[in-house]
Amino acid sequence: MEFVCLFVTFTAIAVLGLAFVVFFEAYKRRNNHEHIEVPAIFEDPSSLKQVPCPHIVDPATKYISLIIPAFNEEHRLPGALEETMNYLQQRSSKDPSFSYEVLIIDDGSADETKKVAFEFVRKYTVDKVRVILLGRNHGKGEAIRKGMLHSRGELLLMLDADGATKVTDLEKLENQIQAVAKREYHQGDSGDSDPRFRISDIPVAVFGSRAHLEEKALATVKKWYRNFLMKGFHLVVLMAAGPGIRDTQCGFKMFTRAAARKLFSNVRLKRWCFDVELVFLCKWFRIPVSEISVNWSEIPGSKVNLLSIPNMLWELVLMSVGYRTGMWRVSNST
């Protein structure tokens, strides 16, 4: 009996201690949506002059911005960038109204990622390719957030530096976002004939999805615990952000400027689970979200592994506690 009492006492102390840590960590992150201490600066490597840095609250001056977070990507980034620039140049040559920019956010890389990125700036000019240096590693979520907040596009696409999803698939997301935006604006009527219609002003999000590949992945994964973790993570995401999106973690997502302004001015998670927070915030703001299947292939060198799972779960717990207790306040001012 004495042993049972001791066990219950120690268990209660452990639970209270864990709860304290969770609340403390969530409280510390309550202002994570504010700008980090490193200012966003674009530098022209040809002239070494600093280029004026736009902000998401400014009017769009490009049709589309592509935001690429990069951390130690000197080997995978060149191929993905070359493919991306070839596509964008070909499309702009066919359609003069198609304007674009590519933002590479170097998230404190220790290799030659910065050098590779600036080579593309020299090749394509600072108007087409821009580099933001975060100085030290903050996490993929913060890198994308920084790029989104300092882009110039009506549409903003985040994509990974490894080129796992073909850049041509952006047209699938673009077509969907155009259709939803027009429906939201005119409730079924075409907005093309209305001069007041601007896609950048209609909050819409479209997520690329690999859910159609999940059954195949589960069948080919031989380790039972990996399937267990995959399903378990989906269940935790469902509880944290709610139903509606089957694949929250695909790195291929498109937003209108109005949607990005609301979402990335509020997102707090800086690493892997910021995608889940985006889903939560879309529901908070009632931003229409669609999920579109994209082509995806495994590229060697992924930084996600089994050890990332505990960190992801920890972030999901912090997010749930932060928003449900009101410690993480959502700003509607943007």
Side-chain angles (χ1 to χ4, degrees), residues 34-265:
E34 297 177 355
H35 278 287
I36 60 176
E37 64 276 10
V38 181
I41 296 173
F42 294 120
E43 185 178 276
D44 186 342
S46 300
S47 64
L48 298 181
K49 292 182 179 179
Q50 292 185 1
V51 177
C53 187
H55 195 274
I56 192 69
V57 299
D58 300 331
T61 57
K62 298 284 186 182
Y63 174 66
I64 190 168
S65 298
L66 280 69
I67 291 90
I68 304 176
F71 176 63
N72 293 340
E73 293 287 0
E74 64 174 337
H75 298 298
R76 301 195 298 179
L77 185 61
L81 272 180
E82 202 64 64
E83 181 180 338
T84 297
M85 296 307 298
N86 286 340
Y87 165 78
L88 295 172
Q89 284 191 311
Q90 289 174 14
R91 185 164 169 183
S92 63
S93 66
K94 296 176 182 176
D95 179 7
S97 66
F98 179 80
S99 57
Y100 64 89
E101 67 172 346
V102 175
L103 278 74
I104 306 159
I105 300 85
D106 183 358
D107 188 22
S109 299
D111 63 359
E112 297 296 320
T113 297
K114 173 183 173 181
K115 180 181 178 182
V116 169
F118 275 118
E119 285 175 357
F120 277 83
V121 180
R122 292 186 184 93
K123 182 176 181 180
Y124 294 100
T125 76
V126 75
D127 183 58
K128 294 286 196 300
V129 182
R130 297 183 167 189
V131 180
I132 297 179
L133 306 175
L134 295 191
R136 63 180 177 84
N137 180 251
H138 291 271
K140 180 181 178 181
E142 180 62 30
I144 290 176
R145 177 178 168 276
K146 198 72 168 180
M148 290 282 178
L149 291 179
H150 298 289
S151 61
R152 296 177 287 170
E154 295 182 63
L155 300 178
L156 292 80
L157 175 74
M158 53 177 266
L159 65 165
D160 292 335
D162 59 5
T165 303
K166 293 296 182 184
V167 68
T168 52
D169 274 1
L170 74 81
E171 294 178 25
K172 296 181 181 179
L173 278 61
E174 179 187 358
N175 291 337
Q176 179 67 11
I177 221 168
Q178 292 274 7
V180 174
K182 290 173 185 176
R183 186 171 69 240
E184 289 292 308
Y185 185 75
H186 269 313
Q187 298 182 348
D189 298 331
S190 174
D192 289 339
S193 58
D194 191 334
R196 295 173 299 173
F197 174 77
R198 292 190 302 176
I199 194 170
S200 59
D201 293 339
I202 315 297
V204 183
V206 179
F207 292 2
S209 175
R210 305 158 299 179
H212 60 295
L213 303 173
E214 184 175 305
E215 290 184 7
K216 181 179 178 181
L218 288 172
T220 55
V221 172
K222 305 299 183 184
K223 307 267 181 155
W224 66 269
Y225 62 84
R226 291 196 178 186
N227 288 343
F228 176 78
L229 287 173
M230 191 182 299
K231 288 294 186 182
F233 181 73
H234 287 333
L235 178 61
V236 175
V237 168
L238 181 66
M239 292 188 293
I245 300 297
R246 294 177 63 193
D247 181 9
T248 59
Q249 301 309 111
C250 180
F252 204 73
K253 295 179 174 70
M254 184 178 286
F255 310 87
T256 60
R257 193 170 187 81
R261 185 183 304 124
K262 290 177 178 288
L263 297 172
F264 291 95
S265 295

Side-chain angles (χ1 to χ4, degrees), residues 28-34 142 145 267-268 270:
K28 281 201 312 182
R29 288 164 171 77
R30 70 193 186 283
N31 295 322
N32 267 13
H33 61 299
E34 297 177 355
E142 180 62 30
R145 177 178 168 276
V267 71
R268 286 169 170 83
K270 295 188 175 185

